[in-house]
Amino acid sequence: MPVLSLRIDFEDGGRIGPGKVALLEKIAETGSISSGARAMRMSYKRAWDLVDETSRLLGTPVVATRAGGAQGGGAQLTLAGRQVLAR
């Protein structure tokens, strides 16, 4: 069955499409970039690059991270990240 997917193309050649949106959804679900990456079967580096590119395209961070340690690290979507998913 055919599926419709949308992609936003920016003037500088960047784009936000279903893959980046799915990654943000996984990060929101898992609270972690690395867990979100694993859920999508991609490397942490690839996931971080996609998050970084999305933030650069929008001009604001889409994910806020906290360093690991005794409390453990993690990530959560910023307001901009949540707005990407809502739209």
Side-chain angles (χ1 to χ4, degrees):
M1 172 174 272
V3 176
L4 174 67
S5 64
L6 300 176
R7 182 180 74 199
I8 301 168
D9 294 318
F10 290 80
E11 288 181 13
D12 68 357
R15 58 182 65 139
I16 298 174
K20 289 178 182 153
V21 170
L23 177 59
L24 291 178
E25 289 173 336
K26 292 297 181 188
I27 293 169
E29 287 172 19
T30 64
S32 163
I33 294 173
S34 60
S35 294
R38 275 193 303 275
M40 294 194 62
R41 298 181 180 183
M42 70 173 64
S43 71
Y44 174 82
K45 169 82 167 94
R46 176 72 176 139
W48 182 254
D49 287 346
L50 291 172
V51 167
D52 189 51
E53 181 181 358
T54 304
S55 295
R56 183 185 56 77
L57 288 169
L58 296 178
T60 188
V62 293
V63 173
T65 60
R66 59 185 181 281
Q71 301 293 329
Q76 63 183 30
L77 299 186
T78 62
L79 175 60
R82 291 191 306 273
Q83 287 176 333
V84 168
L85 294 186
R87 293 185 179 157

